[in-house]
Amino acid sequence: MNKKQLLEDDLKYIWRPFTQMKSLENEDNKPIIIKRGKGIYLEDIDGNKYIDAVSSWWVNTLGHSNKKLNKALYKQSKQIEHVIFGGFSHKPAISFAKKLVKLINNKLNHVFFSDNGSTAVEVALKMAYQYQVLKGHPEKKKFIALKNSYHGDTLGAVSVGGIDMYHKLYKPLLFEIRQALSPYCYRCPMNCEKETCNCECLESVENILKEEAQNIAGIIIEPLVQAAGGMIMYPPKYITKLRSICDKYNILLIDDEVAMGFYRTGKLFAYEHADIVPDIICAAKGITAGYMPLSVTVTTDEIYNAFYDDDIDGYKTFYHGHSYTAYPLALAVALENLKILEKMNIEEYLKPKIAKFSKELEKFKNHKNVGDVRQTGMICAVELVKDKKTKEPFTYEEGIGKKIYIEGLKLGAILRPMWNCIYFITPYIITEKEIEKLTDIAYKALNKVLPDEE
Ligand SMILES: *Cc1c(COP(=O)(O)O)cnc(C)c1O
């Protein structure tokens, strides 16, 4: 089939995510049909190669078509591809859960499997609410969530979402939450300065709790980076302080590590930077290095034990599960991923790359339309503004991000700016030379769209 036919059929038969389908009639908006991938590169059917600077939606960590992962997948497919997880089990699930709990130092030690990030969040919310019921607090049924947060696209996850463009329309279908301020340091909602900030925005959390802690089951956060909200970054001390607040008011801390988990921030999970332990964590994106859909919700003895009982009438049973719960093919890959990361000594491996990104980001700082340059581990972001002083953002309609995306493609990189924010979330295996190349491409693309005259 030729490219023209493929694109016609794509438009005719497929309904794409987050996309106004009619906009795909426009030549500039055609999807790029990918034929294969190798390492950090993707190749389309015309033979063009692009650096995958977004890790294929933030999931790919060890590069495309990794030999060891391919082998693990193939090997497992010859054993058992899938089996019902009600009443049955298998080695990949057992070995992975055991290894993961060991890596978390046994602080969170009960692993619930599902198959995507949104679902891991649904599991966490249901688990948290049921825990409160089992502890004799059925009235604790609201959650606190943050402005600008993203926790997935299923209805529970949308209920705790805080991005109007994605979430507002569905409001009539959602459960009630309380929204607290976003820890958006560059545009601090409390007008504080980074240097002297004491996480004053947490007052908004505490104010809600003063009003009605008796009705609150827990708070859900994206640790260190509100990713889909525009790579909004905040310091670890926020999480440390939040943990104390949760303890003071007796609510659960749910830590959505879906984007940050599996070393994206330089540590296995982002909460480790804050030296605390959440009550429940959700993880998904990096878990199989971008190979297979899989997610986990991991919790403590305290929560697990509240459900553990002789009673089997259902009241204390966690009624949740999916056809692909603990999918063996995915778990074999996830287990191999953990082994590879261990062998690489991943935390040390990432340090020079994080430092290299930091150095290369310098080139953006003087550009007249760059308001903020920020980095947390292997996540880098450049926020564009119309005016440095007033921090006035470009409007969505101006389509700056889209234009930079198109320039980036011509130069050989898949940059996918979110509105005003150019970001890099690359596979970990990117070399220092490639970091230079990628940031040069992004800088050139930026200058093409917004020339820096001075
Ligand atoms: C991507 C994401 C999700 C949703 O994960 P899916 O696998 O896309 O359902 C949830 N939380 C965070 C923080 C995410 O970045």
Side-chain angles (χ1 to χ4, degrees):
M1 232 189 313
N2 65 22
K3 184 169 153 189
K4 190 164 166 282
Q5 186 66 51
L6 284 169
L7 285 173
E8 260 176 48
D9 289 352
D10 183 284
L11 184 57
K12 189 167 169 193
Y13 297 111
I14 298 175
W15 194 341
R16 318 197 134 265
F18 304 110
T19 304
Q20 170 46 254
M21 293 304 295
K22 190 157 195 297
S23 76
L24 299 182
E25 290 173 7
N26 182 337
E27 276 311 312
D28 265 358
N29 262 344
K30 297 291 178 203
I32 296 166
I33 302 175
I34 295 298
K35 184 171 176 189
R36 61 181 152 223
K38 187 76 204 150
I40 67 162
Y41 291 92
L42 289 168
E43 185 182 331
D44 69 16
I45 50 169
D46 295 325
N48 300 308
K49 284 188 184 167
Y50 312 94
I51 298 177
D52 185 0
V54 297
S55 289
S56 292
W57 247 336
W58 320 345
V59 298
N60 189 296
T61 52
L62 298 176
H64 296 280
S65 196
N66 177 295
K67 277 204 179 101
K68 285 184 179 158
L69 297 173
N70 286 351
K71 203 169 149 196
L73 178 58
Y74 181 57
K75 209 170 143 201
Q76 183 60 38
S77 73
K78 291 191 291 183
Q79 295 295 321
I80 178 70
E81 74 302 323
H82 187 48
V83 60
I84 177 172
F85 210 59
F88 294 82
S89 197
H90 45 81
K91 273 191 187 162
I94 299 164
S95 307
F96 178 82
K98 186 173 175 184
K99 202 166 176 62
L100 182 63
V101 166
K102 194 166 162 223
L103 281 169
I104 313 175
N105 293 322
N106 273 298
K107 287 172 181 156
L108 295 147
N109 42 16
H110 302 278
V111 180
F112 193 98
F113 290 112
S114 48
D115 47 33
N116 63 78
S118 308
T119 306
V121 169
E122 300 289 334
V123 169
L125 297 172
K126 283 173 73 176
M127 206 178 253
Y129 170 65
Q130 191 169 347
Y131 167 78
Q132 298 292 9
V133 172
L134 295 174
K135 284 286 177 177
H137 302 296
E139 67 290 348
K140 278 183 167 286
K141 59 187 178 205
K142 283 188 208 170
F143 289 89
I144 302 176
L146 305 183
K147 177 80 192 153
N148 294 324
S149 60
Y150 179 84
H151 298 288
D153 285 327
T154 51
L155 286 176
V158 170
S159 296
V160 291
I163 305 173
D164 285 348
M165 183 163 61
Y166 302 153
H167 302 139
K168 202 171 161 188
L169 179 99
Y170 304 103
K171 205 142 194 186
L173 306 181
L174 308 178
F175 56 72
E176 188 189 349
I177 62 139
R178 294 293 307 265
Q179 192 176 70
L181 295 175
S182 165
Y184 197 162
C185 295
Y186 173 59
R187 300 175 185 277
C188 176
M190 304 291 282
N191 287 316
C192 297
E193 297 296 328
K194 253 187 215 162
E195 294 69 31
T196 51
C197 150
N198 211 3
C199 304
E200 282 78 358
C201 56
L202 273 172
E203 284 169 24
S204 68
V205 173
E206 198 152 5
N207 287 340
I208 293 168
L209 291 168
K210 279 180 188 154
E211 264 174 51
E212 56 165 344
Q214 73 279 7
N215 300 326
I216 307 287
I219 179 167
I220 182 164
I221 60 160
E222 288 168 88
L224 301 185
V225 184
Q226 290 190 297
M231 300 300 161
I232 294 166
M233 299 185 187
Y234 62 94
K237 66 182 173 190
Y238 177 97
I239 302 175
T240 315
K241 284 170 188 274
L242 179 60
R243 175 73 268 182
S244 313
I245 294 173
C246 290
D247 292 341
K248 182 173 164 193
Y249 291 92
N250 191 24
I251 66 161
L252 298 177
L253 176 55
I254 302 170
D255 177 28
D256 177 358
E257 297 264 0
V258 167
M260 296 301 119
F262 295 94
Y263 300 99
R264 189 48 79 183
T265 66
K267 290 187 187 285
L268 174 59
F269 292 114
Y271 74 79
E272 294 169 32
H273 295 274
D275 215 13
I276 57 109
V277 183
D279 297 296
I280 302 176
I281 64 170
C282 310
K285 284 187 170 113
I287 192 168
T288 63
Y291 259 64
M292 308 285 286
L294 178 72
S295 62
V296 289
T297 306
V298 193
T299 192
T300 58
D301 277 338
E302 166 62 25
I303 292 181
Y304 178 80
N305 287 338
F307 291 69
Y308 203 75
D309 199 80
D310 290 326
D311 149 83
I312 51 160
D313 68 5
Y315 174 65
K316 289 194 173 181
T317 300
F318 187 51
Y319 271 100
H320 194 101
H322 298 279
S323 342
Y324 283 95
T325 298
Y327 185 35
L329 287 180
L331 278 153
V333 176
L335 184 60
E336 181 64 20
N337 179 33
L338 285 185
K339 286 181 186 164
I340 295 171
L341 293 171
E342 194 170 39
K343 217 168 176 179
M344 285 165 86
N345 195 2
I346 185 69
E347 288 193 22
E348 290 307 312
Y349 175 90
L350 288 176
K351 279 177 188 164
K353 311 205 179 205
I354 292 169
K356 179 67 175 170
F357 262 120
S358 167
K359 180 163 168 265
E360 296 301 320
L361 283 175
E362 286 295 322
K363 60 183 160 237
F364 291 91
K365 287 186 178 162
N366 288 325
H367 189 285
K368 71 178 189 340
N369 293 112
V370 170
D372 191 34
V373 174
R374 44 189 185 251
Q375 181 182 16
T376 300
M378 287 296 280
I379 308 129
C380 303
V382 174
E383 181 169 333
L384 305 174
V385 289
K386 275 190 178 167
D387 183 317
K388 267 188 180 188
K389 278 218 177 66
T390 62
K391 301 186 181 177
E392 185 189 347
F394 289 98
T395 62
Y396 188 74
E397 288 69 31
E398 281 167 293
I400 296 295
K402 176 85 203 186
K403 289 177 192 159
I404 292 172
Y405 167 74
I406 291 168
E407 293 305 322
L409 285 179
K410 287 185 203 159
L411 296 165
I414 298 178
L415 303 164
R416 227 169 153 270
M418 288 185 296
W419 187 8
N420 285 329
C421 178
I422 302 176
Y423 70 87
F424 309 109
I425 292 191
T426 68
Y428 303 159
I429 57 160
I430 190 168
T431 64
E432 292 185 37
K433 238 198 160 87
E434 288 163 340
I435 291 173
E436 222 169 288
K437 183 172 160 191
L438 171 62
T439 50
D440 280 345
I441 289 177
Y443 190 71
K444 273 187 201 143
L446 166 64
N447 263 290
K448 195 89 195 248
V449 177
L450 297 167
D452 195 16
E453 289 96 4
E454 289 105 316

